[in-house]
Structures are given as C-alpha cells and as structure tokens.
Amino acid sequence: MPHRFEDAEEWAKRFDDPERDAWQKPDEVVKALELPADAKVADIGAGTGYFAVRLARAVPQGRVYGVDIEPDMARYLGERAKREGVNNLEPVLGEPADPKLPGPVDVALIVDTYHHINDRVAYLKTLGDKLRPGGRVVVIDYREDSPKGPPREHKLTAEQVRKELEAAGYQQTGTHDFLPDQYFLVFARQAS
C-alpha cells in the first residue's frame, strides 16, 4: 500500500518549512536546471508546491504542471497558485501509473518522490512519451546514508535509479553534487 499524503494543510507545515531550504537548496536546484523562460516543466509529486511555485516563477513565459496523485494536494496547489498569483502553474491530478500530463514538457522533475512510484520502469516509459525532443527527466532523492527522508529500507541508491531509467530507455546525461542529503541525476531519452 503506497504512503498517503491526504491532509495538504498539515503536510504544508513540513514540506514548506523554511528550514528545508538549507538542505534542499531549492533556488540552486532550479538554477541548475537551466530552464529557458518559456520552458514547460512537470513537477512530479508536487505536493504543496514547494518546487512547483519556484519553477513557475523561473519560467514566466512557460508552464508548470504540478502533478500529484492526491486530490487534496492538487486542490491545495491550485489554491496556492491563485493566492500567490502564479498564473502559469497548473495542478494536475495524476494516477499512480500515469502523470496525466496535458501536454509535452521539456523537463520532468521528480524530487523526494521517486521512491514512492511503484512500477517505476513502466511509469518512466509513460512519462517519456510526454517529453519534448531533447527533454530531460531529473531525479532528486535521498541517499541511503542520509539522516533525512524515509527509513533506509525505502531509499534507493543512485545506481538503482540509473539502472531503472536505463531499463526505461534513458541515459544519464548529468549529475550535480551540491545537495548534502540527496543525489541529483539528469537523464534524457535514448534515440531509438
């Protein structure tokens, strides 16, 4: 049974805690993505919008799809976008096996969520069908030895993530090492 995140207001206290910025480094992450102003981005597992709002501000002529499988998170994200005047952020109610993106994206960002996806290879293949040519999938998740995040038995190694993405038809094109508790891996679809 997957972990549920139903009470968005309660989760917001944790997900959007300003202390998270010190180790999650959201502004550095967004900068490292090198997004053009008109990029289309999917934040997979967007939750309360911690990254989605920042991404939307980084692509003022673009579009950000904040994808979550919890209806309450999608509701919260839509309300937050209105409240904060972020008109290019669209909440998307995804499904466990399909992000349900309404259009193709340049980047699909998966932060602290990858380990929650059940059939990851199948999911990544479905996600790949929504990538624009040259599009990227970026996975940021907790290293096994990190004191943060889920229990160790739920964490995946960077090597395991790499193998799963390769099995889904991707190749690693980059990595960043500035996050203290997480790996930051960048992938592109292999040419067929």
Side-chain angles (χ1 to χ4, degrees), residues 40-44 55 64-65 67 101 105 107-110 127:
K40 292 202 172 19
V41 184
D43 181 5
I44 307 293
L55 290 165
V64 174
Y65 301 116
V67 180
L101 291 173
V105 296
V107 175
L109 178 64
I110 308 173
L127 179 59

Side-chain angles (χ1 to χ4, degrees), residues 33-100:
L33 295 174
E34 299 177 337
L35 299 167
D38 63 348
K40 292 202 172 19
V41 184
D43 181 5
I44 307 293
T48 57
Y50 181 82
F51 270 103
V53 168
R54 287 172 171 88
L55 290 165
R57 290 188 177 124
V59 295
Q61 287 88 51
R63 191 110 189 118
V64 174
Y65 301 116
V67 180
D68 209 284
I69 63 169
E70 288 289 353
D72 200 44
M73 289 293 183
R75 172 203 58 83
Y76 184 95
L77 185 57
E79 290 173 3
R80 180 176 182 178
K82 283 190 183 105
R83 187 171 63 245
E84 296 186 25
V86 185
N87 299 326
N88 62 336
L89 172 55
E90 180 181 333
V92 175
L93 183 60
E95 294 177 359
D98 185 348
K100 294 291 187 185

Side-chain angles (χ1 to χ4, degrees), residues 151-171:
R152 188 179 187 110
E153 63 269 16
H154 294 289
K155 293 176 182 171
L156 304 169
T157 65
E159 185 56 32
Q160 188 175 352
V161 172
R162 200 173 296 111
K163 284 180 179 172
E164 291 175 357
L165 273 116
E166 286 172 0
Y170 296 81
Q171 62 188 14

